[in-house]
């Protein structure tokens, strides 16, 4: 593939980067990334990946845009209220960058469909709002051998990590979802919208680094943000040999849906 | 009367010059040497071969009616028939053949004018405010200082061989209309405690590397003008960089030394002479008054007369006298017009004409009663812009590619098109009489775009690989004592959109100006003007492809498509070829000497000269500059022998020349002559891009050996890319993309524009880890050789 003149101009600031260059940009243009959830985290992820020229962007979301989303889900705008989020997101992506092919999945990622959803993509992004989904995505990616970025936000806090086959997975650290109602739901707890931006753009950067091979990924470490003090900590984590999904003797060999209140505050 | 006195030695120099011309015509003086001789006499070669222009000094921009009449007559007899008024407040005669040069120069003697120092590394024409002495708001008249200083400086023999040109200007008040901060040395009239004096600025300059001048003194008494000038001259003479023509002006000395060291070195010289009152200038009395005229008073009436008065006539501080501005078309005055004007002006005296910096004439000391006469004469002159608003005549442009080999675009053509566009519009140009719309054909500032309110300088635009003429757009040049600032580049435009752009932009500014929306033009730029430029440029971005509209790719006033082949390379090669010629001739002449059996000792010297010239001759084509013989030989080995351009069978003899005694060379006579022949053949195979060809016409792609080890690399082909006209950072982006596709160890040669591109791209390439083997300036652009790592 050869970059067109228009592309050379559009992506010149990437091409200039020593670690990306024209070769890296071509990789980006050929990459396929699936974003599960186009809410608080998914919105910045999609916007930046679209601008970066990721060749194919898949979006999984079964929701429609609600007015309470607008405080942080920056890809959706006021006139979009009532529109399926996947459609609203797709329209913005097309406007940002016609190079990007958008595939929409107007459904929730569930045990029955997730393997099918992720199978054609090079990198998966967890932009979901609830623990069952996060564990489901982790398990599916581990089983399918897909790299993915985990992200989560609540109140003024956030965390993210990147998993690639062989590195620590989400279940290595957190065995299972907390019991129902043990953590406040997001609608009760609230979240600072900008936190979604910080974490989402971090996940987007991880995806681009993975695609181009630039630098070191957030693997085997959990990046934890305390925005009230505006402190980032990199907590070292290890692959757990007793991990129920990626350990030596995995106990989870089949995907199943776990029950949890769905947060309306993604 | 006269505006300066020429030294008596001048006449002897002219006799010598006449002999030199004869020798040059016979081929006994080579062109480079002759160039040095003639330029010092203000004689420049034009783009057309064997055609010269002669630049005539007019201190303080002054020329008398008698002198003007004579210049016009000489121009008519020996040149193009016009007097050209320049941006340097002087006049020129154009299109003079070699046999006309001496008659013009001798003719000038009759009226005490001189072209000596019109060019060359000397004190150039000294500028002043064109209305100094008559202006209502001046601090005092600065013309006498410029005149006295000119006479003094051109009598000092050491003024004629400075490291580079030395420009001086005087302004009548803090408006600084002589733009002192753009010159080497500038004086701005001030009065402090009833003492006349000057604020002094120095080390400014425009050109491709513009620098705003710095304050040297906030006040010196007016008696010290000479002392300051002399001290700076001596300091410049001692410390200026004589080696590189491109970095030798005083501004570069300041940059190199920093303020403290510069001022210290200056003070060293100044302190030696500053208390010597015998050095004070003797100021001439320069009366601004009118003789009683003998011609009958004519009257003029009507709207045209009133409009002309409003536009072009201003009262002087001398009661009853007026000054008149006479806008010329591109600075040219026909002989017959010059005759009419001279006759009229002579009625009122000799102190009646100044040249201004917008290539126009200023008439002064005209009794108000004779305005009718003046109008009747002026409105009948053939080649003026007097029917238009002053804005039109104030536009400045260089001649550009028409006569100048460095030119990319043809600003004369653009100027005419802007003029037509604006004068056929309904814009109220009388609202902006002082607006400076200046344009240059390339980044050199002959058209003074740096100080433009709205400026343009030529560049190459590109669409799908096709080049079209374009200009950078600048705004915000400002002139004011101590606060001068250069215009900043905002965007760029294809030349064909500029007339409409200029119209659209000025329409808004005139509207705001008339309404008084802003205090100054600069407030306007900040609030909306610069955004307006950008949005208009965005609007005028649609460049048709060559197939859609081939005319778009032809400059205004040009006959064919814009092509880089005639620009830069041609001019640069011309310069380079001049230098090569010196060595070629030396090889030829010295080889002849060998036949004369002068003895071994003499032969050894001759052989050494041949060897030296052979080694040096083509170094310049690689941008190499050697200041010792040893370096010449070493560079030659490295860049010609190690690279495989020249056979290594000559390496030993070059080393003998470098390391051993000359006497040994007699033993290697055949090798020396063999090398001379090889170099001559190589020279003859060289094309305009300074590349060498084999006998079969293939381009030899040498590998430049930056380090000894790379000489071991086998020859490989060099990929060539032309990124001229591609702005930063896209030029780097494209370079990088080419490099990525190459294999390690391969070579890439790119062409880049001067300025930002050459400053940035090689560094960025290095940061990527590649090797930059050489960068060579070829006129307005650069060639950079890169090895992919
Ligand atoms: C062959 C090339 C060149 C030619 C024929 C040329 C010609 C001229 C002429 C004729 C003027 C006076 C303008 C007029 O009133 O008509 C001028 C002014 C000027 N030239 Fe050049 N020029 C050349 C190259 C350069 C270069 C290379 C530079 C700078 C690096 C330069 C810098 C200037 C500046 C700064 C002025 C005017 C402003 C001033 O100092 O008052 N010129 N040139
Ligand atoms: S500005 Fe450029 S084109 Fe114009 S005269 Fe000077 S060198 Fe030539
Ligand atoms: Zn695990």
């Amino acid at each position: 593939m050869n970059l067109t003149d228009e592309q050379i101009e559009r992506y010149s600031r990437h091409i200039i980067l020593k670690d990306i260059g024209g070769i890296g940009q071509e990789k980006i243009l050929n990459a396929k990334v699936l974003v599960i959830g186009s809410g608080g985290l998914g919105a910045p992820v999609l916007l930046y990946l679209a601008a970066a020229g990721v060749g194919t962007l898949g979006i999984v979301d079964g929701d429609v845009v609600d007015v309470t989303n607008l405080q942080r889900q920056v890809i959706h705008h006021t006139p979009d209220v009532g529109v399926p989020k996947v459609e609203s997101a797709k329209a913005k992506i097309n406007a940002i960058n016609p190079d990007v092919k958008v595939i929409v999945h107007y459904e929730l990622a569930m045990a029955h469909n997730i393997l099918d959803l992720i199978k054609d993509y090079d990198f998966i992004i967890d932009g979901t709002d609830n623990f069952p989904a996060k564990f489901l995505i982790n398990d599916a990616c581990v089983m399918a051998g897909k790299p993915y970025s985990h992200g989560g936000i609540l109140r003024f806090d956030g965390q993210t990590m990147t998993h690639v086959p062989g590195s620590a997975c989400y279940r290595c650290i957190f065995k299972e979802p907390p019991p129902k109602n043990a953590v406040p739901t997001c609608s009760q707890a609230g979240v600072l919208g900008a936190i979604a931006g910080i974490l989402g753009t971090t996940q987007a950067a991880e995806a681009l680094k993975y695609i181009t091979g630039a630098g070191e990924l957030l693997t085997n470490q959990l990046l934890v943000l305390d925005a009230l003090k505006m402190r980032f900590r990199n907590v070292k984590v290890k692959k757990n040999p007793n991990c129920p999904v990626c350990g030596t003797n995995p106990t989870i060999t089949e995907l199943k849906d776990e029950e949890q209140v769905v947060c309306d505050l993604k | 009367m006269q505006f300066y006195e020429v030294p008596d030695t001048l006449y002897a120099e002219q006799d010598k010059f006449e002999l030199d011309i004869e020798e040059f015509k016979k081929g006994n003086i080579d062109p480079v040497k002759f160039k040095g001789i003639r330029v010092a006499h203000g004689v420049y070669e034009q783009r057309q071969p064997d055609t010269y222009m002669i630049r005539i000094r007019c201190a303080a921009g002054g020329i008398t009616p008698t002198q003007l009449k004579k210049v016009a007559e000489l121009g008519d007899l020996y040149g193009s028939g016009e007097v050209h008024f320049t941006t340097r407040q002087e006049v020129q005669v154009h299109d003079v053949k070699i046999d006309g040069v001496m008659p013009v120069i001798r003719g000038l003697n009759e009226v005490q004018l001189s072209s000596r120092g019109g060019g060359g590394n000397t004190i150039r024409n000294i500028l002043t405010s064109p209305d100094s002495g008559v202006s209502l708001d001046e601090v005092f008249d600065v013309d006498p200082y410029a005149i006295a200083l000119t006479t003094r400086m051109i009598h000092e023999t050491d003024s004629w061989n400075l490291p580079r040109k030395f420009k001086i200007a005087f302004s009548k008040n803090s408006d600084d209309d002589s733009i002192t901060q753009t010159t080497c040395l500038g004086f701005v009239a001030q009065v402090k405690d009833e003492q006349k004096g000057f604020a002094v600025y120095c080390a400014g300059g425009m050109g491709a590397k513009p620098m705003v001048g710095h304050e040297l003194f906030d006040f010196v008494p007016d008696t010290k003008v000479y002392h300051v000038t002399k001290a700076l001259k001596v300091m410049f003479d001692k410390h200026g960089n004589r080696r590189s023509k491109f970095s030798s002006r005083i501004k570069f000395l300041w940059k190199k030394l920093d303020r403290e060291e510069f001022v210290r070195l200056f003070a060293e010289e100044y302190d030696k002479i500053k208390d010597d009152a015998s050095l004070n200038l003797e100021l001439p009395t320069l009366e601004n008054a009118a003789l009683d005229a003998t011609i009958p008073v004519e009257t003029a009436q009507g709207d045209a007369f009133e409009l002309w008065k409003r536009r072009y006539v201003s009262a002087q501080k001398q009661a009853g006298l007026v000054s008149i501005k006479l806008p010329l078309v591109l600075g040219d005055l026909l002989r017959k017009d010059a005759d009419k004007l001279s006759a009229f002006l002579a009625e009122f005296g000799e102190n009646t004409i100044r040249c201004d910096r917008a290539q126009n004439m200023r008439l002064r000391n005209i009794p108000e009663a004779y305005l009718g006469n003046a109008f009747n004469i002026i409105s009948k002159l053939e080649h003026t812009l007097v029917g238009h608003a002053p804005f039109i005549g104030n536009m400045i442009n260089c001649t550009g590619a028409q006569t100048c080999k460095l030119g990319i675009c043809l600003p004369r053509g653009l100027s005419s098109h802007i003029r037509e566009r604006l004068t056929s519009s309904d814009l109220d140009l009388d609202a902006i009489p002082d607006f400076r719309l200046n344009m240059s054909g390339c980044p050199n500032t002959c058209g003074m775009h740096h100080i433009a309110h709205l400026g343009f300088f030529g560049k190459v635009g590109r669409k799908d690989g096709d080049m079209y003429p374009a200009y950078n757009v600048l705004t915000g040049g400002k002139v004011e004592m101590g606060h001068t600032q250069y215009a900043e580049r905002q965007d760029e435009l294809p030349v064909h959109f500029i007339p409409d752009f200029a119209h659209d932009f000025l329409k808004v500014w005139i509207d705001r100006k008339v309404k008084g929306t802003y205090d100054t033009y600069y407030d306007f730029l900040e609030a909306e003007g610069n955004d307006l430029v950008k949005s208009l440029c965005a609007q005028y971005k649609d460049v048709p492809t060559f197939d859609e509209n081939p005319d778009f790719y032809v400059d205004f006033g040009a006959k064919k498509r814009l092509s880089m082949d005639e620009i830069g390379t041609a001019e640069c090669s011309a310069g380079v070829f001049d230098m090569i010629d010196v060595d070629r001739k030396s090889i030829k002449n010295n080889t002849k000497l060998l036949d004369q059996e002068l003895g071994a000792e003499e032969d050894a010297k001759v052989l050494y000269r041949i060897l030296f010239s052979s080694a040096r001759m083509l170094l310049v084509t690689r941008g190499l500059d050697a200041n010792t013989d040893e370096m010449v030989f070493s560079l030659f080995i490295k860049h010609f022998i190690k690279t495989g351009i020249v056979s290594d069978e000559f390496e030993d003899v070059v080393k003998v020349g470098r390391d051993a005694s000359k006497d040994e060379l007699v033993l290697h006579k055949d090798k020396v002559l063999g090398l001379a022949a090889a170099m001559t053949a190589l020279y003859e195979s060289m094309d305009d891009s300074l590349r060498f060809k084999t006998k079969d016409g293939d381009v030899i792609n040498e590998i430049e050996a930056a380090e000894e080890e790379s000489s071991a690399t086998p020859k490989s082909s060099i990929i060539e890319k032309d990124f001229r006209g591609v702005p930063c950072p896209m030029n780097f982006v494209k370079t990088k993309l080419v490099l990525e596709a190459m294999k390690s160890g391969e070579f890439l040669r790119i062409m880049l524009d001067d300025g930002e591109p050459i400053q940035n791209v090689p560094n960025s390439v290095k940061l990527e880890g590649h090797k930059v083997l050489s960068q060579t300036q070829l006129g307005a652009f650069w060639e950079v050789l890169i090895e992919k790592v």
Side-chain angles (χ1 to χ4, degrees), chain B residues 398-401 403-409 411 440-447 449:
Chain B
C398 73
T399 55
T403 57
C404 164
K405 289 173 183 166
L406 301 183
I408 296 168
C409 297
S440 304
C442 80
N444 297 317
T445 326
C446 307
H449 57 258

Side-chain angles (χ1 to χ4, degrees), chain B residues 558-578:
Chain B
K559 293 193 184 66
K560 47 185 184 155
R561 276 180 78 176
L562 181 68
S563 140
M564 275 317 251
D565 297 342
E566 290 164 28
I567 311 165
T569 336
E571 162 66 16
C572 147
S573 310
V576 168
F577 285 127
D578 286 352

Side-chain angles (χ1 to χ4, degrees), chain B residues 429-458:
Chain B
L429 295 172
D430 280 306
I432 49 169
D434 299 321
F435 195 91
R436 293 188 298 271
L437 196 160
N438 300 351
M439 55 210 113
S440 304
C442 80
N444 297 317
T445 326
C446 307
M448 299 201 281
H449 57 258
H450 289 314
I451 53 144
H453 288 120
L454 177 63
F456 302 95
F457 70 93

Side-chain angles (χ1 to χ4, degrees), chain A residues 3 5 8-9 12-13 15-23, chain B residues 464-465 728-730 732-734 736-737 740-741 767-769:
Chain A
L3 299 173
D5 276 358
I8 292 173
E9 289 215 37
S12 58
R13 300 310 189 268
I15 297 171
I16 286 173
L17 289 173
K18 188 164 186 232
D19 294 314
I20 296 187
I23 295 169
Chain B
D464 299 339
C728 294
M730 290 311 296
F732 170 61
V733 170
K734 294 191 171 180
K736 181 167 171 173
L737 289 172
E740 281 181 358
L767 287 176
E768 292 271 318

Side-chain angles (χ1 to χ4, degrees), chain A residues 169 171-172 243 245-246:
Chain A
C169 81
R171 262 197 217 269
C172 291
C243 170
V245 60
C246 75

Side-chain angles (χ1 to χ4, degrees), chain B residues 53 55 84-88 92 127 165 167 182 206-208 249 357 359 397-399 403-406 444-448 571:
Chain B
M53 63 180 204
R55 191 178 278 179
H84 177 70
F85 287 76
T86 79
T87 56
R88 300 272 318 151
Q92 286 179 179
L127 311 182
K165 53 192 172 187
K167 294 183 173 175
T182 66
M206 293 193 270
R249 302 267 311 264
R357 299 201 67 182
Q359 301 164 299
N397 58 272
C398 73
T399 55
T403 57
C404 164
K405 289 173 183 166
L406 301 183
N444 297 317
T445 326
C446 307
M448 299 201 281
E571 162 66 16

